[in-house]
Amino acid sequence: MKKYQVVGIGNAIVDVLTRCDDEFLSRMGIEKGIMQLVDRERGEALYAAMTDRTEAPGGSVGNTLAGLGNLGLRTAFVGRVRDDALGRFFARSLELEGTDFPNPPVKDAELPTSRSMIFVTPDGERSMNTYLGAGADFGPQDLDEAIVEDTEYLFLEGYLFDKDPGKAAFLAAAEACHRGGGKAGISLSDPFCVDRHRADFRRLVREQMDFVIGNQHEWCALYETEDLEQALAQARDECDLIVCTRSGADVVIISGDRRVEIPVHRVTPVDATGAGDQFAAGFLYGLATGRDLEIAGRMGCVAATEVIGHVGARPETDVMALFRAHGLI
């Protein structure tokens, strides 16, 4: 038996959330509903403008691993934080949630721990302003290959593909995972990220990934088309298992000649932060515990519905109990 069922690699970010209205977004020059990268100066200005801050360990794959820890899987998150207050907070919080954080905070890191300032409007939309910091400098020097050799599933965060050291680390991690007999996958993360590194993403998906999770915009960006079905047809030829979420529409899962569509129960979100991350948690839980693709997809939808029902990107209720209530276990 492997030490871990799922190991994730991603940008170790502390989320700082606050509520605001649309007028505040306009006044601060914040584009609504998307993730924007900001420099250190802009990040400090936005942080100072926030009121009633709520801090939580974040990052896309970090949120997914927290969800899997909530479900009781053996998990580890691999990332880079500085040995500062936020970095120690991130590491301590993951451990308390049941997920190993094997990388000790780096004392001599040049940049401070990454943080994302998230402004939540009354309609549940979140506008993310992310200062990448130390987490984005993750590279091969931060990777203990023995950890990813000893997992059944490896899950990578597309955002870390923005720098060459991250690309090298992902390749080494996928190869180590496969050496150990595990399966490697990636979240496409963001259509702009895909646009910046399309050729490298395509190569990684085609040559190294056993499964890929993305939304409709990310899949279309990857294959440079506005026709989602065309994009999914190309993806099916390049990867064993592909998953496409579609903003309230049915989730599409394709494996070879099999196509499964999972209906989504639409609800008004309190906070949409983390919906995709927790879908991935539910889906990966299904895969790691041997469930059928349809059941795994339904688990993903249940987990996503839970997280959009409250502020914050990580589960606050017993998601396993929700699975039971829906007849999934």
Side-chain angles (χ1 to χ4, degrees):
M1 184 175 65
K2 298 285 188 184
K3 180 176 182 179
Y4 297 112
Q5 290 163 287
V6 181
V7 168
I9 301 178
N11 198 353
I13 299 176
V14 175
D15 288 340
V16 186
L17 297 95
T18 193
R19 290 188 171 278
C20 69
D21 55 22
D22 287 344
E23 192 277 331
F24 176 88
L25 296 182
S26 177
R27 187 170 72 252
M28 296 300 297
I30 298 169
E31 189 168 350
K32 183 175 180 178
I34 68 168
M35 193 283 287
Q36 293 177 295
L37 297 179
V38 298
D39 60 20
R40 193 169 182 172
E41 182 180 357
R42 170 70 168 165
E44 289 174 351
L46 291 176
Y47 184 82
M50 301 178 90
T51 58
D52 298 320
R53 305 182 191 100
T54 300
E55 292 183 352
S60 178
V61 167
N63 291 335
T64 297
L65 268 292
L68 289 167
N70 174 279
L71 290 166
L73 291 194
R74 304 184 307 279
T75 57
F77 175 80
V78 178
R80 178 182 176 90
V81 297
R82 186 179 181 179
D83 188 8
D84 55 19
L86 287 181
R88 292 188 292 272
F89 167 77
F90 184 93
R92 183 171 61 253
S93 298
L94 268 186
E95 297 280 358
L96 289 173
E97 291 173 341
T99 295
D100 287 353
F101 186 64
N103 288 42
V106 181
K107 292 185 180 297
D108 59 350
E110 180 179 352
L111 300 175
T113 297
S114 306
R115 72 284 312 271
S116 181
M117 288 140 289
I118 303 173
F119 298 87
V120 184
T121 42
D123 57 3
E125 282 287 347
R126 81 274 192 256
S127 306
M128 303 171 65
N129 296 262
T130 302
Y131 170 61
L132 292 177
D137 284 340
F138 183 89
Q141 74 280 1
D142 301 301
L143 177 68
D144 182 348
E145 294 187 8
I147 291 172
V148 291
E149 284 181 359
D150 205 11
T151 187
E152 296 171 12
Y153 287 89
L154 172 67
F155 191 45
L156 306 172
E157 181 178 314
Y159 285 127
L160 275 189
F161 225 53
D162 259 336
K163 293 186 177 181
D164 288 340
K167 294 176 184 178
F170 275 14
L171 179 60
E175 291 175 346
C177 177
H178 289 145
R179 279 199 307 271
K183 293 187 177 182
I186 192 170
S187 164
L188 294 178
S189 292
D190 182 90
F192 302 109
C193 186
V194 171
D195 283 338
R196 288 192 294 270
H197 307 283
R198 183 176 292 105
D200 288 333
F201 264 116
R202 287 283 303 272
R203 189 177 306 110
L204 188 71
V205 168
R206 183 172 60 250
E207 298 177 1
Q208 295 291 340
M209 294 296 99
D210 301 293
F211 63 95
V212 181
I213 300 174
N215 65 34
Q216 59 191 41
H217 306 295
E218 292 155 2
W219 282 114
C220 286
L222 186 64
Y223 293 101
E224 296 183 276
T225 177
E226 295 182 1
D227 185 335
L228 177 61
E229 289 302 322
Q230 179 181 332
L232 295 180
Q234 288 183 260
R236 181 189 59 198
D237 292 337
E238 296 189 347
C239 186
D240 291 339
L241 175 59
I242 61 173
V243 181
C244 177
T245 58
R246 298 189 291 170
S247 300
D250 292 357
V251 175
V252 178
I253 304 172
I254 301 176
S255 178
D257 293 331
R258 186 183 181 198
R259 178 181 175 125
V260 177
E261 297 194 12
I262 310 298
V264 173
H265 177 62
R266 301 196 66 164
V267 297
T268 300
V270 173
D271 173 15
T273 308
D277 304 336
Q278 294 311 318
F279 172 85
F283 181 73
L284 285 172
Y285 176 84
L287 289 187
T289 55
R291 263 65 178 194
D292 176 83
L293 289 180
E294 180 177 357
I295 296 298
R298 290 174 62 193
M299 287 176 164
C301 291
V302 169
T305 300
E306 187 279 336
V307 82
I308 66 175
H310 57 77
V311 174
R314 300 188 173 194
E316 292 186 351
T317 59
D318 185 347
V319 178
M320 188 68 73
L322 297 178
F323 289 169
R324 292 192 185 96
H326 285 80
L328 300 178
I329 58 174

